[in-house]
Amino acid sequence: MTPVNGQGKEPIAIFGAGWVGLVTGACFAELGHEVTIRDIVPERIEQLRASEVPFFEPGLGELLERNAGRLTFTLDAAEAAAAAELVFICVDTPPTYSGDADLTRVWTVIDELPQLERRTILVMKSTVPVGTGEKVRAALEARGLSHIGYVSNPEFLAEGGAVQDFLHPDRVVVGSFAEADGDRVGALYGGLNTPVVRADVASAEMIKLAANAFLATRISFINEIANVCEVTGADVEKVAEGVGLDHRLGPHFLRAGVGFGGSCFPKDTNALKQLASNSGYHFQLLSAVIEVNELQKRRVIKKLEKHLGRLRGKTIALLGLAFKANTDDMREAPSLSLIDDLTREGASVQAYDPAAGHEARKLFEKNGNVKIVDSAIDALEGADALAIVTEWQEFRSPDFAAIREKLKTPAIFDGRNLYDPAAVRAQGLEYFPIGRKS
Ligand SMILES: NC(=O)c1ccc[n+]([C@@H]2O[C@H](COP(=O)([O-])OP(=O)(O)OC[C@H]3O[C@@H](n4cnc5c(N)ncnc54)[C@H](O)[C@@H]3O)[C@@H](O)[C@H]2O)c1
């Protein structure tokens, strides 16, 4: 671990204007660098040129606006790369059918690089399998670009707090083949006063996968504890508090709920499991973490069925569609599994989300059993019961009297443990949280 001093200002190109690319670009511009962001989707580039943020991420709009003078948006790969000293790859690496990471977009970027003359450094921020850096190196050499440097610099930001995470990271990881290339990438973060973990490329790649797998493991662990609490009469919220105060364990990622979702944990846990398996190792623990998560996503529907009986013809009010609060990202969101299960059982869904409504309307456009509404109260209209799936702040202090009056069966199935059970029951509502007495 080396502290970073100094702060070289370098022209930077970013490939991919998604959560990682746009936040990275905006934050580097904030740190004083000249940044060109390239994407392949024309509407996205048009939006960005018109100062519109293409997705919901707190603080990002202000940051882009404040640094507009240092930010350029383009569709042209050659233009972006040619002007840069450092080219960041921030494209998506979605899962393939087998669970491996699909690196098609990464390879496209390598193919798109122009015949660069100077020693540009290619920096991988996308999450990739261990061994990718070696393969990229070989591909660059095959293309006559052996003078191009390569650095693995995985990103740890979390959606919903991405700007804060980028500008105040716990650490920055820099894996390089050549020491000098790692120095230049490390220096970019010089203004952030954060530890920089220097590593070889393979270890840097593994740090990212291991960190996500560990966080997912904590979530599945506390969810299993919650399930045991339910059958033994303990309260998982108390248990998590008592466990989390142990300094060896810490309080983070000990919130029982409906399972993890999003564009990273499901994809990255599967990719690591698959990577191990491709190398002849069965990652038993991670297999269990993934399996526990799949089962956890189905617990709310099991409780609904137990309480309401057959779900055919019933209407469920659903609060929260995004995979977590403060984002409009619905990739692999637990709400999708629940909606899928409910509609398969013949129920209808009236769903509301403070930010993901627009995305959800596109997604469920052709599904007559799913109605996306504009407020929590609208979701309750004519519904049999209420299920809470995302921990948005605005769901934390609801109008319990309105919920009781509007629901046919006054029952809340809370997948995020938002309320004090006694307070909800005092309002004449039945309450089914996770890992607490029902
Ligand atoms: N979203 C997160 O919270 C997060 C956090 C850490 C790491 N990551 C990793 O970072 C990577 C990017 O994630 P994301 O959530 O930003 O993805 P995203 O899907 O939001 O954005 C990816 C962008 O890349 C663009 N793109 C695809 N091919 C391109 C090309 N050839 N040139 C330029 N742009 C291209 C896409 O159009 C899209 O806008 C993934 O590997 C992901 O696992 C994501």
PDB file of all heavy atoms in Angstrom, residues 15-21 38-41 44 90-93 105 108-109 112 125-127 155 157 159 208 263-264 267-268 331, ligand 1:
ATOM      1  N   PHE A  15     -14.246   5.148 -22.259  1.00  0.00           N
ATOM      2  CA  PHE A  15     -15.124   4.400 -23.167  1.00  0.00           C
ATOM      3  C   PHE A  15     -16.263   3.819 -22.355  1.00  0.00           C
ATOM      4  O   PHE A  15     -16.059   2.956 -21.502  1.00  0.00           O
ATOM      5  CB  PHE A  15     -14.346   3.295 -23.894  1.00  0.00           C
ATOM      6  CG  PHE A  15     -13.598   3.817 -25.091  1.00  0.00           C
ATOM      7  CD1 PHE A  15     -12.601   4.774 -24.942  1.00  0.00           C
ATOM      8  CD2 PHE A  15     -13.905   3.366 -26.367  1.00  0.00           C
ATOM      9  CE1 PHE A  15     -11.923   5.275 -26.043  1.00  0.00           C
ATOM     10  CE2 PHE A  15     -13.229   3.861 -27.479  1.00  0.00           C
ATOM     11  CZ  PHE A  15     -12.233   4.813 -27.320  1.00  0.00           C
ATOM     12  N   GLY A  16     -17.485   4.297 -22.612  1.00  0.00           N
ATOM     13  CA  GLY A  16     -18.664   3.831 -21.872  1.00  0.00           C
ATOM     14  C   GLY A  16     -19.187   4.947 -20.990  1.00  0.00           C
ATOM     15  O   GLY A  16     -18.494   5.393 -20.077  1.00  0.00           O
ATOM     16  N   ALA A  17     -20.406   5.426 -21.299  1.00  0.00           N
ATOM     17  CA  ALA A  17     -21.011   6.507 -20.502  1.00  0.00           C
ATOM     18  C   ALA A  17     -22.138   5.951 -19.637  1.00  0.00           C
ATOM     19  O   ALA A  17     -23.227   6.491 -19.584  1.00  0.00           O
ATOM     20  CB  ALA A  17     -21.521   7.618 -21.421  1.00  0.00           C
ATOM     21  N   GLY A  18     -21.864   4.830 -18.970  1.00  0.00           N
ATOM     22  CA  GLY A  18     -22.837   4.259 -18.032  1.00  0.00           C
ATOM     23  C   GLY A  18     -22.537   4.758 -16.635  1.00  0.00           C
ATOM     24  O   GLY A  18     -21.885   5.792 -16.452  1.00  0.00           O
ATOM     25  N   TRP A  19     -22.988   4.019 -15.616  1.00  0.00           N
ATOM     26  CA  TRP A  19     -22.792   4.454 -14.238  1.00  0.00           C
ATOM     27  C   TRP A  19     -21.316   4.675 -13.945  1.00  0.00           C
ATOM     28  O   TRP A  19     -20.923   5.709 -13.416  1.00  0.00           O
ATOM     29  CB  TRP A  19     -23.362   3.411 -13.276  1.00  0.00           C
ATOM     30  CG  TRP A  19     -24.708   3.798 -12.760  1.00  0.00           C
ATOM     31  CD1 TRP A  19     -24.970   4.587 -11.686  1.00  0.00           C
ATOM     32  CD2 TRP A  19     -25.980   3.449 -13.316  1.00  0.00           C
ATOM     33  NE1 TRP A  19     -26.332   4.744 -11.541  1.00  0.00           N
ATOM     34  CE2 TRP A  19     -26.974   4.054 -12.521  1.00  0.00           C
ATOM     35  CE3 TRP A  19     -26.373   2.676 -14.414  1.00  0.00           C
ATOM     36  CZ2 TRP A  19     -28.324   3.912 -12.778  1.00  0.00           C
ATOM     37  CZ3 TRP A  19     -27.716   2.534 -14.669  1.00  0.00           C
ATOM     38  CH2 TRP A  19     -28.672   3.149 -13.864  1.00  0.00           C
ATOM     39  N   VAL A  20     -20.496   3.698 -14.334  1.00  0.00           N
ATOM     40  CA  VAL A  20     -19.076   3.793 -13.992  1.00  0.00           C
ATOM     41  C   VAL A  20     -18.373   4.840 -14.859  1.00  0.00           C
ATOM     42  O   VAL A  20     -17.654   5.696 -14.352  1.00  0.00           O
ATOM     43  CB  VAL A  20     -18.404   2.405 -14.121  1.00  0.00           C
ATOM     44  CG1 VAL A  20     -16.892   2.509 -14.054  1.00  0.00           C
ATOM     45  CG2 VAL A  20     -18.898   1.491 -13.007  1.00  0.00           C
ATOM     46  N   GLY A  21     -18.618   4.792 -16.173  1.00  0.00           N
ATOM     47  CA  GLY A  21     -17.913   5.701 -17.078  1.00  0.00           C
ATOM     48  C   GLY A  21     -18.252   7.157 -16.832  1.00  0.00           C
ATOM     49  O   GLY A  21     -17.364   8.016 -16.769  1.00  0.00           O
ATOM     50  N   ARG A  38     -16.707   8.643 -24.491  1.00  0.00           N
ATOM     51  CA  ARG A  38     -17.227   8.084 -25.731  1.00  0.00           C
ATOM     52  C   ARG A  38     -18.237   6.978 -25.423  1.00  0.00           C
ATOM     53  O   ARG A  38     -17.998   6.124 -24.578  1.00  0.00           O
ATOM     54  CB  ARG A  38     -16.050   7.506 -26.526  1.00  0.00           C
ATOM     55  CG  ARG A  38     -16.412   7.091 -27.933  1.00  0.00           C
ATOM     56  CD  ARG A  38     -16.693   5.610 -28.040  1.00  0.00           C
ATOM     57  NE  ARG A  38     -17.146   5.287 -29.382  1.00  0.00           N
ATOM     58  CZ  ARG A  38     -17.045   4.087 -29.941  1.00  0.00           C
ATOM     59  NH1 ARG A  38     -16.517   3.102 -29.281  1.00  0.00           N
ATOM     60  NH2 ARG A  38     -17.507   3.871 -31.148  1.00  0.00           N
ATOM     61  N   ASP A  39     -19.378   7.015 -26.098  1.00  0.00           N
ATOM     62  CA  ASP A  39     -20.332   5.908 -26.019  1.00  0.00           C
ATOM     63  C   ASP A  39     -20.770   5.569 -27.437  1.00  0.00           C
ATOM     64  O   ASP A  39     -20.506   6.331 -28.377  1.00  0.00           O
ATOM     65  CB  ASP A  39     -21.537   6.273 -25.133  1.00  0.00           C
ATOM     66  CG  ASP A  39     -22.214   5.048 -24.546  1.00  0.00           C
ATOM     67  OD1 ASP A  39     -22.905   4.324 -25.301  1.00  0.00           O
ATOM     68  OD2 ASP A  39     -22.050   4.774 -23.336  1.00  0.00           O
ATOM     69  N   ILE A  40     -21.440   4.416 -27.576  1.00  0.00           N
ATOM     70  CA  ILE A  40     -21.877   3.994 -28.921  1.00  0.00           C
ATOM     71  C   ILE A  40     -23.353   4.292 -29.149  1.00  0.00           C
ATOM     72  O   ILE A  40     -23.858   4.072 -30.238  1.00  0.00           O
ATOM     73  CB  ILE A  40     -21.640   2.477 -29.126  1.00  0.00           C
ATOM     74  CG1 ILE A  40     -22.214   1.674 -27.944  1.00  0.00           C
ATOM     75  CG2 ILE A  40     -20.174   2.179 -29.352  1.00  0.00           C
ATOM     76  CD1 ILE A  40     -22.255   0.191 -28.175  1.00  0.00           C
ATOM     77  N   VAL A  41     -24.045   4.770 -28.094  1.00  0.00           N
ATOM     78  CA  VAL A  41     -25.481   5.026 -28.228  1.00  0.00           C
ATOM     79  C   VAL A  41     -25.695   6.512 -28.537  1.00  0.00           C
ATOM     80  O   VAL A  41     -25.470   7.372 -27.673  1.00  0.00           O
ATOM     81  CB  VAL A  41     -26.221   4.634 -26.924  1.00  0.00           C
ATOM     82  CG1 VAL A  41     -27.710   4.899 -27.053  1.00  0.00           C
ATOM     83  CG2 VAL A  41     -25.951   3.178 -26.578  1.00  0.00           C
ATOM     84  N   ARG A  44     -27.669   8.724 -26.108  1.00  0.00           N
ATOM     85  CA  ARG A  44     -26.969   9.012 -24.846  1.00  0.00           C
ATOM     86  C   ARG A  44     -26.010  10.189 -25.010  1.00  0.00           C
ATOM     87  O   ARG A  44     -25.946  11.083 -24.176  1.00  0.00           O
ATOM     88  CB  ARG A  44     -26.233   7.752 -24.379  1.00  0.00           C
ATOM     89  CG  ARG A  44     -25.552   7.930 -23.053  1.00  0.00           C
ATOM     90  CD  ARG A  44     -25.395   6.655 -22.301  1.00  0.00           C
ATOM     91  NE  ARG A  44     -26.656   6.194 -21.729  1.00  0.00           N
ATOM     92  CZ  ARG A  44     -26.783   5.436 -20.642  1.00  0.00           C
ATOM     93  NH1 ARG A  44     -25.723   5.067 -19.990  1.00  0.00           N
ATOM     94  NH2 ARG A  44     -27.948   5.060 -20.197  1.00  0.00           N
ATOM     95  N   CYS A  90     -14.761   1.410 -19.581  1.00  0.00           N
ATOM     96  CA  CYS A  90     -15.837   1.354 -18.581  1.00  0.00           C
ATOM     97  C   CYS A  90     -17.099   0.760 -19.210  1.00  0.00           C
ATOM     98  O   CYS A  90     -18.214   1.147 -18.873  1.00  0.00           O
ATOM     99  CB  CYS A  90     -16.145   2.743 -18.044  1.00  0.00           C
ATOM    100  SG  CYS A  90     -14.732   3.582 -17.316  1.00  0.00           S
ATOM    101  N   VAL A  91     -16.925  -0.154 -20.160  1.00  0.00           N
ATOM    102  CA  VAL A  91     -18.088  -0.730 -20.841  1.00  0.00           C
ATOM    103  C   VAL A  91     -18.685  -1.849 -19.992  1.00  0.00           C
ATOM    104  O   VAL A  91     -18.050  -2.361 -19.067  1.00  0.00           O
ATOM    105  CB  VAL A  91     -17.700  -1.268 -22.237  1.00  0.00           C
ATOM    106  CG1 VAL A  91     -17.217  -0.130 -23.126  1.00  0.00           C
ATOM    107  CG2 VAL A  91     -16.632  -2.357 -22.135  1.00  0.00           C
ATOM    108  N   ASP A  92     -19.915  -2.226 -20.314  1.00  0.00           N
ATOM    109  CA  ASP A  92     -20.589  -3.274 -19.552  1.00  0.00           C
ATOM    110  C   ASP A  92     -20.005  -4.643 -19.884  1.00  0.00           C
ATOM    111  O   ASP A  92     -19.600  -4.903 -21.027  1.00  0.00           O
ATOM    112  CB  ASP A  92     -22.108  -3.245 -19.791  1.00  0.00           C
ATOM    113  CG  ASP A  92     -22.493  -2.907 -21.228  1.00  0.00           C
ATOM    114  OD1 ASP A  92     -21.748  -2.162 -21.884  1.00  0.00           O
ATOM    115  OD2 ASP A  92     -23.528  -3.421 -21.688  1.00  0.00           O
ATOM    116  N   THR A  93     -19.988  -5.517 -18.876  1.00  0.00           N
ATOM    117  CA  THR A  93     -19.492  -6.892 -19.035  1.00  0.00           C
ATOM    118  C   THR A  93     -20.576  -7.835 -18.501  1.00  0.00           C
ATOM    119  O   THR A  93     -20.417  -8.433 -17.435  1.00  0.00           O
ATOM    120  CB  THR A  93     -18.173  -7.080 -18.247  1.00  0.00           C
ATOM    121  OG1 THR A  93     -18.350  -6.564 -16.909  1.00  0.00           O
ATOM    122  CG2 THR A  93     -17.022  -6.347 -18.889  1.00  0.00           C
ATOM    123  N   ARG A 105     -17.830  -6.455 -25.445  1.00  0.00           N
ATOM    124  CA  ARG A 105     -17.705  -4.999 -25.565  1.00  0.00           C
ATOM    125  C   ARG A 105     -16.277  -4.538 -25.269  1.00  0.00           C
ATOM    126  O   ARG A 105     -15.792  -3.570 -25.852  1.00  0.00           O
ATOM    127  CB  ARG A 105     -18.703  -4.309 -24.637  1.00  0.00           C
ATOM    128  CG  ARG A 105     -20.138  -4.510 -25.098  1.00  0.00           C
ATOM    129  CD  ARG A 105     -21.104  -4.378 -23.933  1.00  0.00           C
ATOM    130  NE  ARG A 105     -22.458  -4.749 -24.278  1.00  0.00           N
ATOM    131  CZ  ARG A 105     -22.911  -5.997 -24.347  1.00  0.00           C
ATOM    132  NH1 ARG A 105     -22.109  -7.017 -24.099  1.00  0.00           N
ATOM    133  NH2 ARG A 105     -24.160  -6.249 -24.665  1.00  0.00           N
ATOM    134  N   THR A 108     -14.351  -5.147 -28.357  1.00  0.00           N
ATOM    135  CA  THR A 108     -14.691  -4.154 -29.377  1.00  0.00           C
ATOM    136  C   THR A 108     -13.859  -2.892 -29.164  1.00  0.00           C
ATOM    137  O   THR A 108     -13.339  -2.314 -30.118  1.00  0.00           O
ATOM    138  CB  THR A 108     -16.203  -3.819 -29.324  1.00  0.00           C
ATOM    139  OG1 THR A 108     -16.926  -5.024 -29.483  1.00  0.00           O
ATOM    140  CG2 THR A 108     -16.610  -2.831 -30.397  1.00  0.00           C
ATOM    141  N   VAL A 109     -13.733  -2.485 -27.897  1.00  0.00           N
ATOM    142  CA  VAL A 109     -12.940  -1.274 -27.623  1.00  0.00           C
ATOM    143  C   VAL A 109     -11.492  -1.479 -28.092  1.00  0.00           C
ATOM    144  O   VAL A 109     -10.907  -0.592 -28.721  1.00  0.00           O
ATOM    145  CB  VAL A 109     -12.983  -0.900 -26.120  1.00  0.00           C
ATOM    146  CG1 VAL A 109     -12.038   0.266 -25.829  1.00  0.00           C
ATOM    147  CG2 VAL A 109     -14.399  -0.560 -25.684  1.00  0.00           C
ATOM    148  N   GLU A 112     -11.318  -1.094 -31.665  1.00  0.00           N
ATOM    149  CA  GLU A 112     -11.596   0.269 -32.126  1.00  0.00           C
ATOM    150  C   GLU A 112     -10.427   1.236 -31.906  1.00  0.00           C
ATOM    151  O   GLU A 112     -10.447   2.350 -32.439  1.00  0.00           O
ATOM    152  CB  GLU A 112     -12.813   0.839 -31.379  1.00  0.00           C
ATOM    153  CG  GLU A 112     -14.128   0.228 -31.831  1.00  0.00           C
ATOM    154  CD  GLU A 112     -15.269   0.610 -30.889  1.00  0.00           C
ATOM    155  OE1 GLU A 112     -15.005   0.913 -29.709  1.00  0.00           O
ATOM    156  OE2 GLU A 112     -16.417   0.598 -31.328  1.00  0.00           O
ATOM    157  N   LYS A 125     -11.442  -0.469 -16.120  1.00  0.00           N
ATOM    158  CA  LYS A 125     -12.289  -0.230 -14.957  1.00  0.00           C
ATOM    159  C   LYS A 125     -13.474  -1.195 -14.941  1.00  0.00           C
ATOM    160  O   LYS A 125     -14.081  -1.445 -13.905  1.00  0.00           O
ATOM    161  CB  LYS A 125     -12.807   1.211 -14.953  1.00  0.00           C
ATOM    162  CG  LYS A 125     -12.143   1.995 -13.848  1.00  0.00           C
ATOM    163  CD  LYS A 125     -12.900   3.228 -13.468  1.00  0.00           C
ATOM    164  CE  LYS A 125     -12.041   4.079 -12.565  1.00  0.00           C
ATOM    165  NZ  LYS A 125     -11.570   3.390 -11.358  1.00  0.00           N
ATOM    166  N   SER A 126     -13.812  -1.724 -16.115  1.00  0.00           N
ATOM    167  CA  SER A 126     -14.871  -2.731 -16.160  1.00  0.00           C
ATOM    168  C   SER A 126     -14.439  -3.916 -15.293  1.00  0.00           C
ATOM    169  O   SER A 126     -13.246  -4.187 -15.153  1.00  0.00           O
ATOM    170  CB  SER A 126     -15.087  -3.225 -17.584  1.00  0.00           C
ATOM    171  OG  SER A 126     -15.578  -2.190 -18.396  1.00  0.00           O
ATOM    172  N   THR A 127     -15.424  -4.623 -14.729  1.00  0.00           N
ATOM    173  CA  THR A 127     -15.112  -5.812 -13.934  1.00  0.00           C
ATOM    174  C   THR A 127     -14.923  -6.986 -14.883  1.00  0.00           C
ATOM    175  O   THR A 127     -15.831  -7.320 -15.652  1.00  0.00           O
ATOM    176  CB  THR A 127     -16.262  -6.089 -12.949  1.00  0.00           C
ATOM    177  OG1 THR A 127     -16.482  -4.909 -12.175  1.00  0.00           O
ATOM    178  CG2 THR A 127     -15.924  -7.248 -12.030  1.00  0.00           C
ATOM    179  N   GLU A 155     -13.266  -0.698 -10.232  1.00  0.00           N
ATOM    180  CA  GLU A 155     -14.072   0.345  -9.595  1.00  0.00           C
ATOM    181  C   GLU A 155     -14.957  -0.273  -8.509  1.00  0.00           C
ATOM    182  O   GLU A 155     -15.542  -1.322  -8.703  1.00  0.00           O
ATOM    183  CB  GLU A 155     -14.932   1.044 -10.668  1.00  0.00           C
ATOM    184  CG  GLU A 155     -15.757   2.182 -10.151  1.00  0.00           C
ATOM    185  CD  GLU A 155     -14.933   3.163  -9.314  1.00  0.00           C
ATOM    186  OE1 GLU A 155     -13.922   3.691  -9.802  1.00  0.00           O
ATOM    187  OE2 GLU A 155     -15.300   3.392  -8.148  1.00  0.00           O
ATOM    188  N   LEU A 157     -17.350   1.771  -6.743  1.00  0.00           N
ATOM    189  CA  LEU A 157     -18.474   2.658  -6.409  1.00  0.00           C
ATOM    190  C   LEU A 157     -19.773   1.870  -6.339  1.00  0.00           C
ATOM    191  O   LEU A 157     -19.919   0.823  -6.984  1.00  0.00           O
ATOM    192  CB  LEU A 157     -18.594   3.787  -7.438  1.00  0.00           C
ATOM    193  CG  LEU A 157     -18.888   3.471  -8.904  1.00  0.00           C
ATOM    194  CD1 LEU A 157     -20.342   3.156  -9.154  1.00  0.00           C
ATOM    195  CD2 LEU A 157     -18.466   4.639  -9.772  1.00  0.00           C
ATOM    196  N   GLU A 159     -23.953   2.289  -6.806  1.00  0.00           N
ATOM    197  CA  GLU A 159     -24.990   3.173  -7.348  1.00  0.00           C
ATOM    198  C   GLU A 159     -25.792   3.782  -6.204  1.00  0.00           C
ATOM    199  O   GLU A 159     -26.005   3.152  -5.174  1.00  0.00           O
ATOM    200  CB  GLU A 159     -25.911   2.380  -8.280  1.00  0.00           C
ATOM    201  CG  GLU A 159     -25.209   2.015  -9.568  1.00  0.00           C
ATOM    202  CD  GLU A 159     -26.048   1.103 -10.448  1.00  0.00           C
ATOM    203  OE1 GLU A 159     -27.284   1.108 -10.339  1.00  0.00           O
ATOM    204  OE2 GLU A 159     -25.439   0.377 -11.255  1.00  0.00           O
ATOM    205  N   LYS A 208     -11.312  -7.155  -7.039  1.00  0.00           N
ATOM    206  CA  LYS A 208     -12.681  -6.698  -7.333  1.00  0.00           C
ATOM    207  C   LYS A 208     -13.682  -7.845  -7.180  1.00  0.00           C
ATOM    208  O   LYS A 208     -14.736  -7.702  -6.533  1.00  0.00           O
ATOM    209  CB  LYS A 208     -12.729  -6.120  -8.756  1.00  0.00           C
ATOM    210  CG  LYS A 208     -14.116  -5.779  -9.250  1.00  0.00           C
ATOM    211  CD  LYS A 208     -14.768  -4.667  -8.450  1.00  0.00           C
ATOM    212  CE  LYS A 208     -16.241  -4.543  -8.767  1.00  0.00           C
ATOM    213  NZ  LYS A 208     -16.936  -3.574  -7.919  1.00  0.00           N
ATOM    214  N   SER A 263     -26.694  -4.728 -10.982  1.00  0.00           N
ATOM    215  CA  SER A 263     -25.926  -5.140 -12.153  1.00  0.00           C
ATOM    216  C   SER A 263     -24.598  -5.784 -11.766  1.00  0.00           C
ATOM    217  O   SER A 263     -23.873  -6.261 -12.628  1.00  0.00           O
ATOM    218  CB  SER A 263     -25.651  -3.914 -13.031  1.00  0.00           C
ATOM    219  OG  SER A 263     -24.759  -3.047 -12.362  1.00  0.00           O
ATOM    220  N   CYS A 264     -24.264  -5.802 -10.458  1.00  0.00           N
ATOM    221  CA  CYS A 264     -22.927  -6.301 -10.095  1.00  0.00           C
ATOM    222  C   CYS A 264     -22.923  -7.606  -9.300  1.00  0.00           C
ATOM    223  O   CYS A 264     -22.311  -8.582  -9.733  1.00  0.00           O
ATOM    224  CB  CYS A 264     -22.170  -5.224  -9.323  1.00  0.00           C
ATOM    225  SG  CYS A 264     -21.696  -3.843 -10.374  1.00  0.00           S
ATOM    226  N   LYS A 267     -24.092 -10.856 -11.102  1.00  0.00           N
ATOM    227  CA  LYS A 267     -23.188 -11.118 -12.229  1.00  0.00           C
ATOM    228  C   LYS A 267     -21.789 -11.513 -11.742  1.00  0.00           C
ATOM    229  O   LYS A 267     -21.210 -12.499 -12.215  1.00  0.00           O
ATOM    230  CB  LYS A 267     -23.129  -9.842 -13.080  1.00  0.00           C
ATOM    231  CG  LYS A 267     -21.946  -9.698 -13.988  1.00  0.00           C
ATOM    232  CD  LYS A 267     -22.075  -8.452 -14.838  1.00  0.00           C
ATOM    233  CE  LYS A 267     -21.427  -7.214 -14.247  1.00  0.00           C
ATOM    234  NZ  LYS A 267     -19.973  -7.237 -14.184  1.00  0.00           N
ATOM    235  N   ASP A 268     -21.258 -10.758 -10.783  1.00  0.00           N
ATOM    236  CA  ASP A 268     -19.869 -10.983 -10.388  1.00  0.00           C
ATOM    237  C   ASP A 268     -19.694 -12.250  -9.551  1.00  0.00           C
ATOM    238  O   ASP A 268     -18.659 -12.911  -9.628  1.00  0.00           O
ATOM    239  CB  ASP A 268     -19.312  -9.754  -9.653  1.00  0.00           C
ATOM    240  CG  ASP A 268     -19.237  -8.531 -10.573  1.00  0.00           C
ATOM    241  OD1 ASP A 268     -19.336  -8.712 -11.797  1.00  0.00           O
ATOM    242  OD2 ASP A 268     -19.087  -7.406 -10.064  1.00  0.00           O
ATOM    243  N   ARG A 331     -31.720  -3.564 -13.006  1.00  0.00           N
ATOM    244  CA  ARG A 331     -31.058  -4.789 -13.468  1.00  0.00           C
ATOM    245  C   ARG A 331     -31.011  -5.808 -12.326  1.00  0.00           C
ATOM    246  O   ARG A 331     -30.541  -5.499 -11.236  1.00  0.00           O
ATOM    247  CB  ARG A 331     -29.637  -4.470 -13.971  1.00  0.00           C
ATOM    248  CG  ARG A 331     -29.638  -3.726 -15.294  1.00  0.00           C
ATOM    249  CD  ARG A 331     -28.254  -3.383 -15.778  1.00  0.00           C
ATOM    250  NE  ARG A 331     -27.667  -2.246 -15.084  1.00  0.00           N
ATOM    251  CZ  ARG A 331     -26.500  -1.695 -15.405  1.00  0.00           C
ATOM    252  NH1 ARG A 331     -25.782  -2.189 -16.397  1.00  0.00           N
ATOM    253  NH2 ARG A 331     -26.036  -0.660 -14.739  1.00  0.00           N
TER     254      ARG A 331
HETATM  255  N1  LIG B   1     -22.785  -0.109 -11.937  1.00  0.00           N
HETATM  256  C1  LIG B   1     -22.007  -0.292 -10.879  1.00  0.00           C
HETATM  257  O1  LIG B   1     -22.399  -0.054  -9.732  1.00  0.00           O
HETATM  258  C2  LIG B   1     -20.597  -0.806 -11.048  1.00  0.00           C
HETATM  259  C3  LIG B   1     -19.695  -0.678  -9.984  1.00  0.00           C
HETATM  260  C4  LIG B   1     -18.395  -1.152 -10.158  1.00  0.00           C
HETATM  261  C5  LIG B   1     -18.018  -1.776 -11.342  1.00  0.00           C
HETATM  262  N2  LIG B   1     -18.943  -1.908 -12.334  1.00  0.00           N
HETATM  263  C6  LIG B   1     -18.499  -2.546 -13.583  1.00  0.00           C
HETATM  264  O2  LIG B   1     -18.201  -1.506 -14.527  1.00  0.00           O
HETATM  265  C7  LIG B   1     -18.581  -1.891 -15.858  1.00  0.00           C
HETATM  266  C8  LIG B   1     -19.585  -0.900 -16.402  1.00  0.00           C
HETATM  267  O3  LIG B   1     -20.749  -0.944 -15.590  1.00  0.00           O
HETATM  268  P1  LIG B   1     -21.925   0.117 -15.756  1.00  0.00           P
HETATM  269  O4  LIG B   1     -22.926  -0.200 -14.708  1.00  0.00           O
HETATM  270  O5  LIG B   1     -21.352   1.466 -15.873  1.00  0.00           O
HETATM  271  O6  LIG B   1     -22.517  -0.340 -17.182  1.00  0.00           O
HETATM  272  P2  LIG B   1     -23.619   0.407 -18.047  1.00  0.00           P
HETATM  273  O7  LIG B   1     -24.328  -0.667 -18.780  1.00  0.00           O
HETATM  274  O8  LIG B   1     -24.375   1.372 -17.213  1.00  0.00           O
HETATM  275  O9  LIG B   1     -22.761   1.274 -19.089  1.00  0.00           O
HETATM  276  C9  LIG B   1     -21.940   0.741 -20.069  1.00  0.00           C
HETATM  277  C10 LIG B   1     -21.887   1.733 -21.218  1.00  0.00           C
HETATM  278  O10 LIG B   1     -20.910   1.303 -22.142  1.00  0.00           O
HETATM  279  C11 LIG B   1     -21.379   1.633 -23.434  1.00  0.00           C
HETATM  280  N3  LIG B   1     -20.598   0.895 -24.448  1.00  0.00           N
HETATM  281  C12 LIG B   1     -20.726  -0.379 -24.875  1.00  0.00           C
HETATM  282  N4  LIG B   1     -19.810  -0.643 -25.819  1.00  0.00           N
HETATM  283  C13 LIG B   1     -19.068   0.484 -25.970  1.00  0.00           C
HETATM  284  C14 LIG B   1     -17.955   0.845 -26.782  1.00  0.00           C
HETATM  285  N5  LIG B   1     -17.400  -0.022 -27.654  1.00  0.00           N
HETATM  286  N6  LIG B   1     -17.441   2.093 -26.672  1.00  0.00           N
HETATM  287  C15 LIG B   1     -17.978   2.973 -25.798  1.00  0.00           C
HETATM  288  N7  LIG B   1     -19.036   2.697 -25.021  1.00  0.00           N
HETATM  289  C16 LIG B   1     -19.570   1.463 -25.100  1.00  0.00           C
HETATM  290  C17 LIG B   1     -22.840   1.273 -23.373  1.00  0.00           C
HETATM  291  O11 LIG B   1     -23.566   1.870 -24.424  1.00  0.00           O
HETATM  292  C18 LIG B   1     -23.206   1.834 -22.000  1.00  0.00           C
HETATM  293  O12 LIG B   1     -23.627   3.168 -22.067  1.00  0.00           O
HETATM  294  C19 LIG B   1     -19.101  -3.324 -15.719  1.00  0.00           C
HETATM  295  O13 LIG B   1     -18.038  -4.215 -15.952  1.00  0.00           O
HETATM  296  C20 LIG B   1     -19.532  -3.402 -14.265  1.00  0.00           C
HETATM  297  O14 LIG B   1     -19.508  -4.704 -13.766  1.00  0.00           O
HETATM  298  C21 LIG B   1     -20.207  -1.426 -12.227  1.00  0.00           C
END
